[in-house]
Amino acid sequence: MQEKDCLFCRIIRGEIPSSKIYEDEYVYAFLDIAPSFAGHTLVVPKNHYKNILDIDAGEAGHIFAAIQKIAPAIIKVTGAEGFHVLQNNNEAAGQTVFHIHFHIIPRKTGDGMTLWTPTPYENMEKMLETAQKIRAEIQ
């Protein structure tokens, strides 16, 4: 199942060129055209899902299996000391293409990339209250 006008669906169908690095029955992976660092790769399911809340758990497993195959190759080729696996959900979280995708970003010590600024809870009571509210919403 793919969307006619989705950028990633069009890449998977070969309508838009990409620098493919991996493909199997479920997954297509290619280099990001605006990478954080050389080797920055996007891993996408061939079926169209908006975000992580929409994808079938079985297909998500295929994505993670592909990431486990691809990441070591990226590390070896780039000389990275580690890597991030990032996935954004919805515009507020930085998602710009609404076809679920995972970023594999190679990292080296001191490369300057910052992901977030820690903001501690006001106190332990506030943290425990937040945890209780979240637990109550999990179904």
Side-chain angles (χ1 to χ4, degrees):
M1 155 184 84
Q2 292 189 345
E3 297 285 321
K4 179 182 178 217
D5 296 324
C6 169
L7 174 65
F8 289 167
C9 290
R10 293 183 67 209
I11 288 171
I12 293 163
R13 288 192 302 266
E15 297 170 7
I16 296 174
S18 69
S19 50
K20 177 175 73 171
I21 63 165
Y22 178 82
E23 182 176 14
D24 65 23
E25 182 180 350
Y26 302 98
V27 175
Y28 190 92
F30 55 98
L31 294 178
D32 193 314
I33 63 168
S36 296
F37 302 103
H40 180 162
T41 298
L42 300 179
V43 182
V44 302
K46 288 186 172 180
N47 286 322
H48 182 91
Y49 301 96
K50 178 182 175 188
N51 61 35
I52 205 161
L53 299 176
D54 294 334
I55 191 167
D56 173 83
E59 285 204 52
H62 292 294
I63 293 170
F64 282 100
I67 290 169
Q68 288 179 320
K69 289 179 185 178
I70 297 165
I74 293 170
I75 289 169
K76 185 175 182 179
V77 168
T78 65
E81 300 163 26
F83 65 98
H84 286 289
V85 176
L86 299 175
Q87 195 275 316
N88 304 323
N89 295 283
N90 300 329
E91 192 172 345
Q95 186 177 10
T96 57
V97 177
F98 296 94
H99 180 130
I100 187 173
H101 56 285
F102 292 77
H103 297 255
I104 302 175
I105 304 173
R107 297 294 308 273
K108 293 181 181 176
T109 302
D111 62 22
M113 185 174 177
T114 303
L115 295 179
W116 61 80
T117 304
T119 307
Y121 283 92
E122 297 168 21
N123 55 52
M124 183 60 80
E125 289 176 13
K126 185 68 173 170
M127 186 173 84
L128 294 174
E129 176 186 326
T130 301
Q132 189 281 322
K133 288 178 180 179
I134 293 169
R135 281 192 306 271
E137 290 297 322
I138 296 173
Q139 300 175 27

